[in-house]
Amino acid sequence: MRVVLPLLHRRRHPLAQALSVVLGLIVVGVLMVFGLVVAGVLTVGGALWLLWRQWKRSRVAVPGAARRARQPEVLEGEYVVIRNSRPVAHH
């Protein structure tokens, strides 16, 4: 028994084949252009959002005392010095 789907059978006429190839290329081209437009809009929108966020953050007034008082750039915690001469005993 042979199963034939109406839209998936191969057209035998050369003009129908050529038109289907051209139609397929047009559809792929439209999809590519649409994808590029979406990527461009997302890129420009993201850049504008980052610029707006930076501009908004820079306008926040910081008092003079807060500018001078900075957090130390030291990480606090416990550490163990590891030497290559003897094995390490993990706790």
Side-chain angles (χ1 to χ4, degrees):
M1 182 163 55
R2 185 174 150 179
V3 178
V4 178
L5 297 174
L7 295 177
L8 297 178
H9 69 279
R10 185 175 174 190
R11 293 177 177 86
R12 306 221 185 271
H13 197 275
L15 184 61
Q17 285 180 347
L19 287 176
S20 65
V21 168
V22 170
L23 182 66
L25 289 175
I26 289 173
V27 168
V28 168
V30 167
L31 289 174
M32 287 179 66
V33 168
F34 180 72
L36 287 174
V37 167
V38 168
V41 167
L42 287 173
T43 302
V44 170
L48 288 175
W49 180 73
L50 286 174
L51 286 173
W52 178 72
R53 199 174 77 171
Q54 282 295 110
W55 177 72
K56 185 178 174 184
R57 191 175 286 177
S58 68
R59 290 189 63 207
V60 174
V62 178
R67 276 190 207 148
R68 280 178 262 136
R70 291 185 55 197
Q71 294 292 329
E73 296 179 5
V74 176
L75 294 176
E76 294 183 14
E78 296 180 12
Y79 63 92
V80 176
V81 177
I82 299 175
R83 292 194 170 92
N84 290 332
S85 61
R86 58 188 171 142
V88 178
H90 295 285
H91 301 285

